[in-house]
Amino acid sequence: MKDRKEIRISQCMIVKNEEKNIERALSWGKSVMWEQVVVDTGSTDRTVELAKKLGAKVFFLEWQDDFAAAKDYAIERADGDWIVFLDADEYMTEADARKLPDIFAQLSDREVDGITAMLHNLDHNGRIFSSCSHLRFFRNSADIRYRRQIHEQLVSLSGQELQILDGTGELSIFHTGYQGEVSAEKKKSGRNRRMLLREIGEHPQDPELLGYMGDECLDDGELEEAEQWYRSAVQYMPVELKEYDQRSAVTFTKLLMVLTEKEDRDPGEIGKVYEQAVRAFPKEGDLDYMAGRFFAVHGRPVDSIQYLENALDKLERYGCTNRALFLAGNLGDVYDLLAKCCYEIGELRKCVQYAVEHLKYERYEMKSLLWLLKALFQGKETAPDQTNEGENEAVKEFLARLYDFSSLKDRLFVIKTAQKADCDGFAEYVTGCFFTSEEKGLLGL
């Protein structure tokens, strides 16, 4: 059998002030990379020093408000057969990294331009809250370059359609960028807006760019402007949208979000946007989540429950790959709203169910525990502040499934929440079970 040609892999990235991420960014795949190319666009911290120490080839480029140009600059300094282009706040596991040489080698004689991977967004607890496919592995070809100054995409310069292989079942990338705040530098400079407005000036009917501009306005609290951009994006969307067109789905979702925030919004208008969106994306749970939030805020709990339960059903059936970005990241809010709405219409059993679902993984969420206590004591023959010892003990035993009453923090949290829920009798009972008179005085109970 003929020996397989050695595959040279170039890892590329553009960076600026990535001191906290650069070591991990250059370590996860170091054993399989033939070279690592780092293009620095103006760091003032130790990014460059650390990159050189780790053996990367470091180049410098004056930032010109153009992500595509910066990435192309990095590509043009890479000598490998294949390019792996991740951001500094992204990484792969070493096990997945070790798969790359063999995968690329198997494709050496096939007309494949690139491979997608599954990109998982991590929250501040390191948990995956959404996933989507991204093209980050591609041949080092003079015909393959990025387009757009911002929200850049790989294209063929000759105009041919890139031949992309789906690698999402085998390869994963983890993105930690949502774990911190957007840098003050980026927000002050207005960089994204400046770049987007230039792109929109050249492509005024591009629905993706219009949607991204809506995001900028929404992030800055400019709801009227955001609504206008999102409506323009919807206007220029193709008649037929692909199922995994996440950008268009996000535009619809954020338009619903903006409409929800406006106090005087007509429910009929929300319904029209929702119906248009769900025709294009029937499996997108985010649309039902936003509609459910709207009706919860505007005093229609029955409608809110219907939409929110639809959202959870879609999430369970279709997952959060390339969809349900907001729903998967805000499940706690969904359960809180469901508990509240179920309580308001007297569906106490369901109120308990949804409150417990949230408390299972965020037991210090006071809103959920408040609705749980209200539901557990609602309908008793005595008022919540006059409950008998048997009822109090039963509720305490129920809560012991969620809380460790040997923990001072857990005991105090339950007592304080019971007081806020106007369950004073239960609060006094739990206090009497666990604290002496002297301790109650010290703790102010």
Side-chain angles (χ1 to χ4, degrees), residues 8-57:
R8 302 181 304 175
I9 306 174
S10 297
Q11 180 185 5
C12 297
M13 68 180 74
I14 59 171
V15 298
K16 181 179 180 182
N17 292 335
E18 292 289 355
E19 177 182 282
K20 67 177 183 179
N21 292 317
I22 192 67
E23 291 188 72
R24 181 178 63 191
L26 291 172
S27 298
W28 61 263
K30 192 170 185 62
S31 64
V32 301
M33 300 301 168
W34 184 69
E35 66 176 356
Q36 293 175 300
V37 175
V38 173
V39 173
D40 186 83
T41 61
S43 293
T44 56
D45 62 4
R46 298 178 62 229
T47 299
V48 170
E49 173 193 340
L50 293 171
K52 288 181 176 179
K53 184 178 180 181
L54 288 163
K57 298 177 181 178

Side-chain angles (χ1 to χ4, degrees), residues 112-390:
V112 173
D113 298 304
I115 307 170
T116 59
M118 188 64 72
L119 187 141
H120 302 290
N121 294 307
L122 305 181
D123 65 15
H124 62 281
N125 292 316
R127 294 185 302 224
I128 296 172
F129 69 86
S130 66
S131 305
C132 52
S133 61
H134 273 253
L135 176 58
R136 299 304 182 85
F137 315 120
F138 52 96
R139 289 188 190 277
N140 189 358
S141 164
D143 185 53
I144 299 176
R145 290 294 184 269
Y146 283 94
R147 73 178 181 100
R148 287 188 182 164
Q149 298 168 28
I150 188 169
H151 302 295
E152 60 284 356
Q153 298 175 344
L154 280 171
V155 298
S156 164
L157 297 181
S158 62
Q160 300 179 16
E161 183 176 351
L162 293 179
Q163 300 303 305
I164 306 301
L165 187 69
D166 181 7
T168 55
E170 282 194 73
L171 301 171
S172 292
I173 298 170
F174 297 93
H175 175 220
T176 63
Y178 291 105
Q179 294 178 344
E181 297 296 325
V182 176
S183 73
E185 180 183 352
K186 289 180 181 178
K187 296 306 292 183
K188 283 182 180 179
S189 68
R191 182 199 68 187
N192 288 6
R193 286 194 182 212
R194 191 168 60 244
M195 296 166 71
L196 277 168
L197 287 172
R198 273 205 307 267
E199 285 280 359
I200 291 170
E202 298 174 10
H203 309 283
Q205 296 183 2
D206 187 319
E208 292 187 1
L209 294 173
L210 297 171
Y212 285 126
M213 192 62 201
D215 294 349
E216 292 298 315
C217 294
L218 181 59
D219 288 345
D220 289 338
E222 300 169 0
L223 299 187
E224 294 288 347
E225 293 82 354
E227 180 180 348
Q228 293 174 14
W229 287 109
Y230 289 138
R231 288 192 181 278
S232 294
V234 170
Q235 176 185 351
Y236 292 116
M237 284 179 187
V239 175
E240 296 292 332
L241 294 169
K242 296 179 180 179
E243 178 180 344
Y244 290 113
D245 182 351
Q246 189 183 59
R247 177 60 253 179
S248 294
V250 167
T251 292
F252 274 119
T253 298
K254 289 191 172 181
L255 176 56
L256 286 170
M257 183 188 299
V258 169
L259 298 180
T260 298
E261 296 297 324
K262 302 180 76 169
E263 295 182 2
D264 59 346
R265 184 58 60 187
D266 177 11
E269 187 175 1
I270 294 286
K272 288 180 181 178
V273 174
Y274 171 83
E275 291 298 333
Q276 181 181 3
V278 84
R279 281 196 299 270
F281 301 104
K283 299 178 182 179
E284 179 54 81
D286 279 346
L287 304 173
D288 295 270
Y289 170 41
M290 292 302 162
R293 284 184 63 210
F294 173 82
F295 289 114
V297 169
H298 289 80
R300 292 173 56 174
V302 174
D303 292 320
S304 178
I305 291 169
Q306 177 184 343
Y307 283 104
L308 293 174
E309 290 183 337
N310 282 345
L312 292 176
D313 179 62
K314 289 180 180 180
L315 180 62
E316 182 177 357
R317 289 163 60 192
Y318 307 121
C320 58
T321 299
N322 289 332
R323 58 169 66 96
L325 178 68
F326 300 95
L327 174 60
N330 293 280
L331 280 175
D333 183 51
V334 176
Y335 288 129
D336 281 342
L337 290 173
L338 281 167
K340 173 181 179 291
C341 291
C342 287
Y343 180 81
E344 289 174 349
I345 65 171
E347 291 279 356
L348 303 183
R349 186 178 296 275
K350 290 178 70 175
C351 174
V352 169
Q353 172 192 338
Y354 288 124
V356 168
E357 281 298 319
H358 190 188
L359 293 170
K360 281 180 181 177
Y361 66 92
E362 286 187 337
R363 70 176 188 269
Y364 298 121
E365 177 51 60
M366 184 170 282
K367 285 188 293 185
S368 286
L369 181 56
L370 185 145
W371 292 116
L372 175 59
L373 289 170
K374 282 180 172 290
L376 289 174
F377 284 111
Q378 183 68 29
K380 303 292 185 182
E381 292 183 2
T382 52
D385 60 346
Q386 299 174 346
T387 49
N388 60 48
E389 183 173 338

